[in-house]
Amino acid sequence: MKHYEANFDGLVGPTHNYAGLSYGNVASLNNAAAISSPKAAAKQGLKKAKALADLGLAQGMLAPQERPDLHTLRRIGFSGTDAEVLNKAAKQAPALLRACCSASSMWTANAATVSPSADTHDGKIHFTPANLVDKLHRSIEPETTGNILAATFNNSRYFHHHQHLPEHVSFGDEGAANHTRLCNEYGHAGIELFVYGQEATNPSAPKPKKYPARQTLEASQAIARLHQLDDESSVFIQQNPDVIDQGVFHNDVIAVGNQNVLFYHEQAFVDTQKKLAEIQDKFNGHELHFVEVPTAKVGIQDAVKSYLFNTQIVTLPNGEMAIIAPTNCQENEAVHAYLNELVTLGTPIKQVHYFDVKQSMQNGGGPACLRLRVAMNETELAAVNPNTLMTDELFNRLNLWVDKHYRDQLAIEDLADPQLIVESRTALDELTQIMKLGSVYQFQK
Ligand SMILES: NCCC[C@H](NC(=O)CCC(=O)O)C(=O)O
């Protein structure tokens, strides 16, 4: 039986914009009110996804969400026709309108946490959409995320879909961005690392002083229970609160793992040595590579700016590992030098491939934020909705679809344009036909 780790990238939605919505995410705040290009953003993402498929990797796409989110605007009291709802929100509550227009579902690392069948008791792949309660614009994603995941992984024999965790800060959950799996081979049982920012039920435990810790230990533990993971194969690690205060709002901004490699910054975790020993112990004596990047080589600011750790580490068909990095890593001297050195260090990582995903980077989302990993065997992969899997044909179709429906430029004021509702719905309706998703959006119900 063959095994894969598929990446499901989030297709950038037609309203991609820079609204400065994510306090604690330095890029989002720094680029607030900049003019975006939804068309360029979607094409950058598609190009990266297609390049990974061309490298021989299993690659899928996840549909974006309906924005502006008229359903939420109506829920909070704006009434009338769609255009009236939008106009009233733009005048009376522009900040709420901006929250209802974000294309943030593109960062599918935050769509859900996924545990492959080799790790779970019932032998199914488990999915729990992230509730994303820390940010208003993201907290409106989970229900539709659940619909899209169910339409993509649409076979109950292999895929178990859970509801998102209760919508309270005690259960703040940001999905796979705070979850890494280490294993020998993708098809073998692995250990799942859950990295959290704070303990909700223990006020004396360490937490950041300035920026929010979006993930709680309680949420991570709930996911491990739901996904039927063993204690022997789960490790809970606290993220260093000091680095959260320096802009590391998710663990995937400071660490990433693949198979038997954990690539992380010296300052990433609390109790690092103890936790590495626990990982080693639970890994049952198999060879592990802890690739630690010292502050002396790459400081936290450089890591946050370049997104050195928001890279994807992938295993190529020839067994070598490659790093999929944003071009921002090439442009940062210290980081570029580090990556050039890394491929010579004798770790399994032998190649670096750079991609321009700047439209996403300007909102704090790198290559790793743009993808949700799903480790699968060939039977499970064959059970995935085939119209979501990247092929030459899907790539061409989606590029034409973007050309037809997406704007070249979008300014914050444009979010009040009722025409954007029509454009966005027309595009998404056509997309659900291309990807054969059925009715996953509110406007289709
Ligand atoms: N995993 C990367 C997530 C990036 C995302 N940025 C945003 O939502 C920015 C949106 C804006 O500011 O317009 C976030 O912070 O959750």
Side-chain angles (χ1 to χ4, degrees):
M1 180 87 85
K2 279 198 183 145
H3 292 88
Y4 309 86
E5 185 171 80
N7 289 291
F8 281 79
D9 280 42
L11 191 46
V12 177
T15 64
H16 161 64
N17 70 86
Y18 300 117
L21 300 173
S22 277
Y23 181 64
N25 168 344
V26 182
S28 153
L29 294 194
N30 286 348
N31 291 298
I35 292 176
S36 63
S37 174
K39 189 178 279 181
K43 293 200 153 201
Q44 287 174 355
L46 281 168
K47 208 166 160 186
K48 191 257 285 184
K50 178 62 161 61
L52 265 66
D54 289 344
L55 284 171
L57 301 167
Q59 177 71 52
M61 298 302 297
L62 290 173
Q65 304 220 349
E66 178 195 357
R67 297 289 181 270
D69 182 351
L70 274 293
H71 174 73
T72 296
L73 289 172
R74 287 207 157 83
R75 231 181 117 186
I76 57 175
F78 296 105
S79 60
T81 63
D82 289 343
E84 283 164 1
V85 167
L86 203 68
N87 282 333
K88 286 179 195 169
K91 283 204 189 84
Q92 296 168 32
L96 297 181
L97 174 63
R98 289 196 288 276
C100 289
C101 289
S102 179
S104 52
S105 66
M106 71 169 87
W107 299 297
T108 51
N110 309 118
T113 307
V114 183
S115 298
S117 54
D119 296 356
T120 64
H121 269 193
D122 65 1
K124 291 188 181 183
I125 304 182
H126 286 243
F127 298 81
T128 302
N131 62 21
L132 300 167
V133 288
D134 185 65
K135 298 279 178 272
L136 175 60
H137 68 290
R138 305 221 59 182
S139 69
I140 55 180
E141 294 177 29
E143 199 177 317
T144 303
T145 298
N147 294 343
I148 292 168
L149 289 173
T152 306
F153 302 95
N154 56 347
N155 187 324
S156 58
R157 176 150 175 220
Y158 302 106
F159 309 121
H160 187 145
H161 295 280
H162 299 275
Q163 193 189 356
H164 57 276
L165 296 180
E167 292 148 23
H168 184 268
V169 286
S170 299
F171 288 109
D173 177 24
E174 301 276 322
N178 292 325
H179 175 255
T180 304
R181 176 173 187 261
L182 298 175
C183 59
N184 241 335
E185 298 284 342
Y186 291 128
H188 294 178
I191 58 166
E192 301 200 12
L193 313 185
F194 292 86
V195 182
Y196 62 93
Q198 67 174 326
E199 276 181 62
T201 52
N202 176 6
S204 60
K207 58 178 176 210
K209 295 185 180 68
K210 186 174 167 198
Y211 290 144
R214 299 195 199 183
Q215 180 91 28
T216 67
L217 171 62
E218 289 78 356
S220 298
Q221 289 170 330
I223 301 281
R225 273 191 299 272
L226 285 167
H227 291 196
Q228 307 175 6
L229 305 179
D230 285 331
D231 287 347
E232 300 74 57
S233 56
S234 314
V235 180
F236 298 90
I237 307 175
Q238 179 160 15
Q239 198 180 352
N240 178 357
D242 296 340
V243 300
I244 296 181
D245 280 337
Q246 292 171 67
V248 181
F249 57 97
H250 287 142
N251 176 61
D252 69 1
V253 178
I254 196 135
V256 56
N258 177 54
Q259 288 187 322
N260 62 351
V261 173
L262 183 64
F263 179 53
Y264 61 99
H265 192 274
E266 181 187 1
Q267 297 183 59
F269 311 121
V270 169
D271 274 341
T272 309
Q273 290 320 314
K274 199 173 132 207
K275 288 296 162 183
L276 296 182
E278 184 182 341
I279 294 170
Q280 184 75 68
D281 186 45
K282 291 183 171 173
F283 212 62
N284 287 332
H286 297 297
E287 188 185 24
L288 257 178
H289 300 269
F290 292 128
V291 184
E292 181 174 291
V293 181
T295 309
K297 288 208 165 139
V298 179
I300 298 295
Q301 288 319 309
D302 281 334
V304 171
K305 259 196 221 143
S306 68
Y307 266 33
L308 168 62
F309 299 94
N310 203 263
T311 44
Q312 297 173 243
I313 306 179
V314 296
T315 304
L316 302 172
N318 70 3
E320 282 183 11
M321 291 192 195
I323 286 205
I324 308 299
T327 45
N328 306 58
C329 286
Q330 257 174 327
E331 291 155 14
N332 180 303
E333 214 177 308
V335 170
H336 194 211
Y338 178 81
L339 282 170
N340 285 340
E341 187 192 334
L342 174 62
V343 292
T344 68
L345 292 181
T347 78
I349 302 168
K350 303 292 184 206
Q351 310 177 13
V352 185
H353 300 254
Y354 295 97
F355 290 89
D356 178 0
V357 288
K358 286 212 165 104
Q359 285 286 326
S360 168
M361 284 289 288
Q362 285 175 200
N363 253 337
C369 291
L370 286 162
R371 62 92 171 94
L372 181 66
R373 291 187 279 190
V374 187
M376 286 184 280
N377 62 38
E378 55 191 327
T379 314
E380 292 159 344
L381 183 59
V384 173
N385 173 347
N387 308 289
T388 65
L389 297 176
M390 185 56 85
T391 56
D392 290 347
E393 196 204 335
L394 185 68
F395 180 70
N396 292 334
R397 268 192 101 172
L398 291 178
N399 272 293
L400 289 172
W401 171 81
V402 169
D403 283 329
K404 180 168 154 200
H405 297 287
Y406 281 48
R407 296 193 185 187
D408 282 312
Q409 291 209 328
L410 198 65
I412 289 300
E413 309 80 68
D414 299 332
L415 300 177
D417 175 6
Q419 186 55 30
L420 197 59
I421 305 174
V422 179
E423 286 170 26
S424 176
R425 286 183 177 169
T426 309
L428 295 182
D429 208 38
E430 195 177 310
L431 183 69
T432 53
Q433 291 163 41
I434 296 174
M435 297 174 89
K436 298 204 174 31
L437 297 175
S439 301
V440 288
Y441 301 115
Q442 286 288 345
F443 76 89
Q444 296 175 314
K445 307 240 172 207

